[in-house]
Amino acid sequence: QVQLLESGGGSVQGGGSLRLSCAASGIPYRPYCMAWLRRAPGKEREGVAYVDGDGRIGYADSVRGRFTISKDNAKNTLTLQMNSLKPEDSAMYYCAADGPPCWLDGSWEYEGQGTQVTVSS
């Protein structure tokens, strides 16, 4: 079965950094897309960043220039380096995967349990 296991969330002051990781297994597609999504209380789900099956990368406008996504195909891991964090980045962050084609704000077949990121002002 598919497993997406996130780690690396936590609490940080505004301007700080966090690094999220996702270990993936059992994904039945080759190639496959992966993404980071986030949900904050009272807000819609937001696509944060993704890597498609060809390695192309996309970011939400709200995080471009601050966040960096990377995918290690050999290790089946996905990371999100988050710098210059703002209070509005506070949310539950989810690792997601799907077969291509994929879009940042599209539907994602598989999601992990999430890791909480809290940024204080």
Side-chain angles (χ1 to χ4, degrees), residues 45-64:
R45 187 204 77 175
E46 179 184 19
V48 176
Y50 83 115
V51 184
D52 75 6
D54 294 318
R56 287 185 291 260
I57 288 173
Y59 295 97
D61 289 342
S62 58
V63 307
R64 188 175 293 112

Side-chain angles (χ1 to χ4, degrees), residues 57-105:
I57 288 173
Y59 295 97
D61 289 342
S62 58
V63 307
R64 188 175 293 112
R66 299 187 298 122
F67 291 10
T68 303
I69 190 171
S70 59
K71 182 170 175 272
D72 186 327
N73 290 317
K75 297 181 179 180
N76 290 334
T77 57
L78 185 74
T79 61
L80 185 69
Q81 178 65 43
M82 305 185 294
N83 298 329
S84 302
L85 282 161
K86 304 176 182 179
E88 51 262 44
D89 293 319
S90 297
M92 187 71 81
Y93 283 70
Y94 298 88
C95 178
D98 203 345
C102 51
W103 297 270
L104 182 58
D105 293 317

Side-chain angles (χ1 to χ4, degrees), residues 47 57 109 119:
I57 288 173
E109 185 171 355
V119 185

